[in-house]
Amino acid sequence: RYSAVHPPPVRALSMLVLRREALGAKVGASARLVLARFSSQPHHVKNPEAPWRDSFPTSHHPGLTRAALADVTSQIRVSSAVASDAEIAVLRQLEQRVLWLSTLMVHNANHVRPSRDGLKVGGHQASSASLATLLTALYLRVLEPQDRVAVKPHASPAYHALQYLMGRQTLANLKAFRSLGGAQPYPSRTKDLPEVDFSTGSVGLGAAVTTFAALTESYLRARGLTPKAWPGTAETPSRPGRMVALVGDAELDEGNVAEMLLESWKLNVPNSWCIVDYNRQSLEKNTAESSFRVAEKLFRATGWDVITLKYGKRLLRAFDEPGGQLLRQWINRCDNATFSALTFRCGSAWREALLRDAPEPAQDRAAFEALVARRSDEELHALMTDLGGHCLETILEAFDAAARTDRRTVFIAYTIKGYGLPLAGHRDNHGLFLAPAQLDALAARLRRPASGEAAWAPFEGLKDEAVARHLVAAAPMNRVPTRRHAAERVELPADLAPSVGGKARAATHSTQGAFGAVLRELAAGSSALADRLVTTCPDVSTTTGLGAFVNARKVFTTGAGSADAFKSARVQSTANWALSPVGQHIPLGIAENNLCLLLAALGLSAELFGHRLFPIGTLYDPFVSRALDALNYAAYMDARFMLVGTPSGVTLAPEGGAHQSIGTPLVGMALPGLRTYEPAFADEVKAVMAAGFVRMQAPRADGGGSVYLRLTTRVIEQPDRNLAADPDLHDAVLKGGYWHAAPTPRTRAVVVFAGAVAPQAMEAARAGPGGGGDGAVALLQVTSYDRLAEDWHRDGDASHVARLLGAVPRDAGLVTVMDGHPTALSWLGGVAGHRVRALGVSDFGQGGDIVDLHRVHDIDAQAIAAATADMCAHHGA
C-alpha cells in the first residue's frame, strides 16, 4: 500500500528496509545500491519545515534515524528482473564488440592511416573503454527516442562504435576518426552525424546542459507544447524525455557543475540523470580519496537521488563466501592509486597484496586465504575488477530503479580506466594507446581479425550473432529513423513595436531602454512571437531592460503558481514577481555559465522537441567574459538565442572598472555563429532585434545563427527619421554601417563610430575643417563591426564595407572611435588602404561620470576632433 504522503518508489524502498531489518532476509539477488533519497526539495511533496523528511518515511519506523537509514540502504538488494541471463550474455558480447571497434578506431588513426604532418592523433582508448559497459546498457536497453544524452568527451570512440552497431554511423566515418569529415574527437552536434544530442569537449559543460534541457522540456509541456511526432512517423513520446549526462569523475571539479546543481534545486528540475564514470583517474593522476563522498553530498544537498554502483555480481557473490567480508573490507580500505596499480599488474599482484594486507580478525584469515587460493590469477583479476560500472546486471537494475520516478538522479558508477585493455589502471594511460602487438593480442582474446575489412564487421563472429542483431534492431532508441525534428518557423510581426523608434516617438532614448520598450510592447500583444519568447538572466532582470516583460508575462515555475508577495502585502515595488507554470521568464542565480547553458538548451528546442522558442538572455556586458566558455559551447552547437550585454563600456561610468567592459566587441567578432550588433539609436535596436529573430529561425546555410547585442544606458538624442520608410537605410543598418555624412572628393578625414559615442562623434565631425559643411569630414556609423568584417573576409571588394569605404578618397584618413577596444574598428583601414587613427578603451576603467571617463580614455568630442584635425593636416602625407 502506498500512502498519500510517500510516493510509491520511495514507499516501496522503505518496505524493503523494514523487511530486511525485521526478518534479516536477503531481498532478491541484485547488487547493493546506495539509494540516498534524502532531498531538500522532493517533486511529490512539500514540507517547508523539514522537507527532507517527506522524501523518506522515517516517521513510520521508530528508531531509524536519517543516518541509520543511509547505512541500512547501503546493504539493500533490490529485486528486479530487468533482463534475462540470455539477454545479459548477448549484451556482454555487444559490449565487447563496442570495446573492440572503439579501440580499433584509435589504432587505425594512429598506426594504420598515413600521417601527413607527423602529429600524434590520439583518441583516448582508456577513457573510452571505462564507459563501454554503461553506454551499451543505456543505448541498447534503456534509452527511448525522447531521451537525450551528453556523452563524456573522451568516450567518443565508444559512442561512435555503438552508433555504428545501431546503423546510425558509417564505417567510413569510423575509419576517418579524427580526420577531416570523419567521426569527431569529441561528440559534436554540428560536425557529426545528426544523432549527437549535445556536443561535449569542454569538460563539465555536458554535465550541466542536460539539466537545462530537462528544464526546457518542462517549460514547453507546461505551455501545452508537447513534443511532436518523430519525423517520418506518427509516434509521439509517451513520457517526458530523460536528459542524461555521462561525465568523467574529474569533470565534477568544474565549477559550472556546482552552479548547475544549485539551479536544479532552486528550479526543481525533473527528469535529469547524471552518470559519473568514477574511474578515479584524471589526466595525470589518481583522484583524491573518498571523492565520491563529496560528490554524493553535493548532489544530495541539492535534491538529487544518489545511486552508487560499487560492486558487480561476481564480487557480491564472493562477499557471501566464507572470508568474503574480509575481502570487502580490503577493497574498501584500498586507496585509489594502489587499486589502479594492482589492476595494471593483474592477477599475481592481486594475490600478493591480498595475502600480505589481509584485514583482521585473524580467525577469519584462513577462510579469506582459501577464497583467494581457489581462484587462478586470471579469475582473481576478473573478480577484483568486477566493479558496478562494468556489471550489466547491476547497471540495468540501477537504471530500472531510477526510471520509476521523474526525480533527478546521479549514478556514481565505479569503473576502471582502460577496462578490458592491457593499459587498464595505469596512471599514464590517458594519452596512451595500444601498440600493434597489443592490439593483435586483444584481437586474439576477442576472437577478431586484427586487420582488414573483417576487423570492422559490426556483428560477424559474435557467438549469438542473430540474436545480437535482433536485440540492436529492437533497441527502444531504434524505433524511429531520426530523433532530430525539422526546425519550426514562427510568424513574426511586421513591426515588433510600432511605438519605438524615431524622434517623433521619443526625443531621447538609450539602447537598453529601447530594448526594454520593444519587449514591453511585444508582451502586451498577442503575436505568435510574443508567446514563444522566453527571457532569462543571472539576477539582473530589472537592471538590464527585462522588467516590463517579466511583469507582464510572469516568472516560470515548475511548481504551483503564486501571486507576488509584495503585491499581496500591498507593498509598492516596481517588480511583479508572480510565479506561473506558463510564465515566460526563467530566473537564475548569479552564474553566467548557467545563463549561456540555459540559452543553449532553450535555443535547441526546435530540433530537440519540435517547438521553436526565442530565448533572450541578458547580463552585464563585462560578464560576457565570465560566461565565455558556455557561450562558445552554445554557439558551437548552433543553438539559437539572443544575448544582450548591457550596460557596456566605460559609459557605465559610476560603476567603476569592474563593471566596465573593454574586449567584448572582439569576443563578438571572433565567435562563429554569433552576429554582434552595437546600435546607437532606438530604431536601430528594433531593426536588429527583428533581424535577430529572423536569423534565429534561418538554416545555417542561409545565414542562420544567434545574435549578441551590446547596449548602453546612456540616453542620447534620437535622429528625426522613419527607418521603416527608408528600405535602403534599413538594409544598411543590418549590413553593418551607413553614412550620416557621405564622403566627397574633398573629404580629408572620416569619423567612424559605433554605439554610445555617437553624440561626441557627431559633434567632432561638425567641428571639423569648414565646420563640417564643405565635405572635408565625413561621418560613418558602424552598427555591426562583426558583420562588416565577416562580409569583407568573404566577399572582398564586393562587400558592403568595401563599397562604403571605396567612396572615400584614397589619401583621406579614418578616425575610428568606440567605447570598447579600438581593434574592433581599426581594421577598417585595410579595406581600401586608408590611414587610421584608432580611438577606444584599452585600459581598465574607474568610477566617475561620462564626461570625465570619456576624456580620460580619449573618446570624448575633443579627442575625436583633435585626431580628425591632425588627419586633415596630414592629408595626402
Side-chain angles (χ1 to χ4, degrees):
R1 297 178 182 176
Y2 301 135
S3 71
V5 178
H6 309 299
V10 176
R11 179 68 173 172
L13 179 59
S14 69
M15 297 310 296
L16 291 178
V17 175
L18 279 180
R19 186 176 179 187
R20 179 173 176 86
E21 289 297 292
L23 304 177
K26 294 180 180 177
V27 184
S30 72
R32 294 178 175 87
L33 305 178
V34 181
L35 300 179
R37 295 191 179 271
F38 300 113
S39 169
S40 55
Q41 194 172 2
H43 287 280
H44 303 279
V45 287
K46 305 282 185 182
N47 183 340
E49 294 182 358
W52 66 267
R53 292 173 183 259
D54 291 326
S55 65
F56 207 106
T58 55
S59 57
H60 294 298
H61 314 308
L64 284 181
T65 65
R66 186 183 185 190
L69 277 173
D71 292 335
V72 170
T73 54
S74 69
Q75 305 301 320
I76 294 174
R77 295 186 175 196
V78 181
S79 178
S80 177
V82 294
S84 67
D85 290 344
E87 186 176 4
I88 291 293
V90 176
L91 283 171
R92 181 66 70 187
Q93 294 173 45
L94 289 165
E95 174 212 2
Q96 292 296 302
R97 186 56 54 91
V98 169
L99 175 67
W100 165 253
L101 287 170
S102 61
T103 305
L104 183 61
M105 286 170 61
V106 179
H107 174 80
N108 182 73
N110 288 275
H111 292 294
V112 178
R113 196 169 66 217
S115 173
R116 297 184 298 176
D117 55 18
L119 290 178
K120 169 188 171 182
V121 179
H124 302 106
Q125 280 178 335
S127 293
S128 185
S130 67
L131 266 183
T133 319
L134 285 157
L135 281 168
T136 301
L138 267 179
Y139 276 92
L140 299 185
R141 192 61 170 72
V142 176
L143 296 177
E144 296 192 38
Q146 66 268 34
D147 299 328
R148 304 289 182 169
V149 186
V151 177
K152 184 184 82 166
H154 297 144
S156 178
Y159 167 77
H160 287 299
L162 191 53
Q163 296 302 305
Y164 172 58
L165 290 185
M166 298 176 73
R168 295 172 181 268
Q169 180 59 280
T170 67
L171 177 57
N173 281 344
L174 261 60
K175 290 182 176 181
F177 175 60
R178 288 195 166 217
S179 68
L180 185 64
Q184 292 298 297
Y186 310 116
S188 171
R189 188 175 170 81
T190 54
K191 306 297 182 182
D192 276 315
L193 288 177
E195 292 308 315
V196 174
D197 298 316
F198 304 103
S199 301
T200 52
S202 182
V203 295
L205 298 181
V209 74
T210 46
T211 292
F212 292 114
L215 179 64
T216 298
E217 185 173 4
S218 295
Y219 177 90
L220 290 168
R221 285 179 174 271
R223 300 186 64 79
L225 299 172
T226 54
K228 295 180 179 179
W230 302 111
T233 77
E235 179 182 345
T236 56
S238 59
R239 60 163 174 79
R242 191 167 287 118
M243 306 299 151
V244 183
L246 284 152
V247 303
D249 49 357
E251 289 189 71
L252 300 182
D253 292 344
E254 290 285 355
N256 75 273
V257 177
E259 291 176 351
M260 173 276 293
L261 291 176
L262 284 171
E263 215 62 68
S264 75
W265 165 68
K266 288 185 285 186
L267 296 171
N268 202 18
V269 180
N271 295 312
S272 184
W273 282 8
C274 181
I275 302 171
V276 180
D277 177 16
Y278 191 55
N279 60 38
R280 302 168 309 288
Q281 284 186 246
S282 60
L283 187 149
E284 62 184 11
K285 63 183 183 302
N286 290 95
T287 55
E289 302 302 320
S290 300
S291 295
F292 73 95
R293 297 191 187 278
V294 177
E296 178 183 333
K297 289 177 182 177
L298 184 61
F299 277 93
R300 186 188 300 159
T302 50
W304 290 63
D305 290 345
V306 179
I307 300 180
T308 298
L309 296 80
K310 186 169 186 179
Y311 308 114
K313 294 301 181 87
R314 188 178 299 172
L315 268 174
L316 288 170
R317 289 191 292 269
F319 292 160
D320 287 337
E321 296 178 22
Q325 288 308 304
L326 290 187
L327 176 63
R328 180 189 180 100
Q329 291 176 34
W330 189 96
I331 292 174
N332 287 342
R333 292 176 183 177
C334 185
D335 63 86
N336 292 338
T338 299
F339 194 93
S340 294
L342 292 173
T343 298
F344 179 73
R345 293 181 60 199
C346 300
S348 60
W350 285 116
R351 189 180 309 280
E352 177 185 345
L354 287 166
L355 296 178
R356 182 186 66 236
D357 303 323
E360 299 296 335
Q363 60 267 28
D364 294 333
R365 185 177 179 95
F368 174 72
E369 291 177 349
L371 182 154
V372 174
R374 59 178 167 265
R375 289 170 168 84
S376 67
D377 284 351
E378 184 176 339
E379 291 169 335
L380 190 58
H381 179 71
L383 174 67
M384 297 302 292
T385 56
D386 181 44
L387 303 183
H390 298 305
C391 177
L392 284 163
E393 298 96 321
T394 300
I395 293 168
L396 290 174
E397 287 161 359
F399 290 160
D400 181 67
R404 299 172 191 174
T405 173
D406 67 352
R407 292 178 55 78
R408 301 185 299 279
T409 303
V410 60
F411 305 83
I412 301 177
Y414 279 71
T415 60
I416 291 169
K417 193 168 181 176
Y419 182 73
L421 302 179
L423 44 71
H426 197 287
R427 183 170 58 196
D428 303 334
N429 64 13
H430 186 87
L432 300 179
F433 42 83
L434 302 190
Q438 291 176 310
L439 185 89
D440 291 342
L442 178 66
R445 177 166 67 83
L446 298 178
R447 296 184 173 87
R448 301 296 306 137
S451 60
E453 291 304 305
W456 298 93
F459 298 102
E460 285 78 4
L462 293 177
K463 178 182 177 183
D464 300 297
E465 179 182 334
V467 179
R469 288 180 181 272
H470 175 77
L471 189 151
V472 172
M477 184 72 80
N478 262 345
R479 286 204 309 267
V480 299
T482 180
R483 297 160 54 244
R484 183 168 291 192
H485 292 279
E488 180 186 44
R489 295 188 68 84
V490 175
E491 184 179 355
L492 303 177
D495 190 334
L496 298 184
S499 69
V500 177
K503 192 167 187 175
R505 297 181 177 95
T508 60
H509 222 322
S510 70
T511 51
Q512 178 180 301
F515 164 73
V518 171
L519 289 183
R520 180 179 64 242
E521 200 157 332
L522 281 170
S526 57
S527 66
L529 170 64
D531 290 340
R532 295 298 183 92
L533 290 174
V534 53
T535 62
T536 184
C537 65
D539 202 34
V540 291
S541 62
T542 58
T543 51
T544 55
L546 296 181
F549 183 87
V550 175
N551 288 350
R553 292 286 175 144
K554 300 184 180 179
V555 177
F556 173 70
T557 177
T558 55
S562 62
D564 177 82
F566 271 55
K567 301 294 183 186
S568 300
R570 299 179 181 178
V571 177
Q572 279 194 334
S573 171
T574 58
N576 178 20
W577 209 253
L579 304 181
S580 170
V582 293
Q584 289 180 245
H585 176 73
I586 300 177
L588 297 172
I590 307 174
E592 286 77 8
N593 270 289
N594 279 347
L595 169 70
C596 288
L597 288 170
L598 177 55
L599 289 176
L602 293 167
L604 292 173
S605 63
E607 293 184 347
L608 291 179
F609 308 112
H611 297 287
R612 170 78 65 189
L613 292 174
F614 294 88
I616 300 176
T618 63
L619 76 170
Y620 296 164
D621 194 59
F623 303 131
V624 167
S625 299
R626 179 181 267 175
L628 188 52
D629 191 17
L631 176 59
N632 183 81
Y633 176 68
Y636 178 60
M637 288 197 291
D638 197 25
R640 304 303 178 83
F641 54 88
M642 182 177 290
L643 181 69
V644 181
T646 185
S648 64
V650 297
T651 302
L652 184 62
E655 286 291 303
H659 279 198
Q660 295 167 355
S661 58
I662 300 172
T664 50
L666 303 179
V667 170
M669 292 180 72
L671 198 56
L674 187 71
R675 176 158 294 164
T676 301
Y677 284 100
E678 187 167 349
F681 303 107
D683 55 2
E684 296 168 359
V685 172
K686 182 170 68 171
V688 299
M689 287 181 70
F693 294 137
V694 171
R695 177 176 166 84
M696 289 161 69
Q697 296 198 89
R700 188 69 178 266
D702 296 336
S706 294
V707 184
Y708 165 39
L709 307 184
R710 192 171 187 258
L711 306 181
T712 177
T713 51
R714 187 185 191 188
V715 176
I716 64 174
E717 185 178 351
Q718 298 297 297
D720 188 8
R721 67 189 183 191
N722 183 352
L723 189 59
D726 189 340
D728 290 337
L729 179 59
H730 183 274
D731 184 57
V733 167
L734 300 184
K735 286 182 176 179
Y738 64 94
W739 292 108
H740 284 268
T744 71
R746 296 185 299 275
T747 297
R748 290 178 279 168
V750 179
V751 175
V752 185
F753 75 92
V757 298
Q760 56 260 46
M762 292 178 169
E763 179 183 342
R766 289 193 298 268
D774 65 350
V777 179
L779 182 63
L780 175 65
Q781 180 184 343
V782 171
T783 53
S784 177
Y785 28 79
D786 177 31
R787 182 164 186 185
L788 289 181
E790 178 185 341
D791 290 352
W792 180 52
H793 289 147
R794 184 188 64 237
D795 300 331
D797 291 342
S799 65
H800 180 60
V801 69
R803 289 193 296 271
L804 286 171
L805 295 179
V808 179
R810 178 65 179 78
D811 56 358
L814 308 182
V815 176
T816 63
V817 59
M818 66 181 300
D819 186 0
H821 200 279
T823 305
L825 293 178
S826 64
W827 62 272
L828 290 169
V831 174
H834 293 105
R835 293 174 295 120
V836 176
R837 174 68 187 279
L839 305 179
V841 180
S842 55
D843 198 2
F844 292 112
Q846 57 186 302
D849 61 15
I850 291 177
V851 175
D852 278 343
L853 292 186
H854 282 194
R855 174 178 54 79
V856 167
H857 291 280
D858 288 332
I859 58 173
D860 63 349
Q862 288 71 27
I864 301 170
T868 303
D870 183 65
M871 194 67 73
C872 290
H874 292 84
H875 175 254

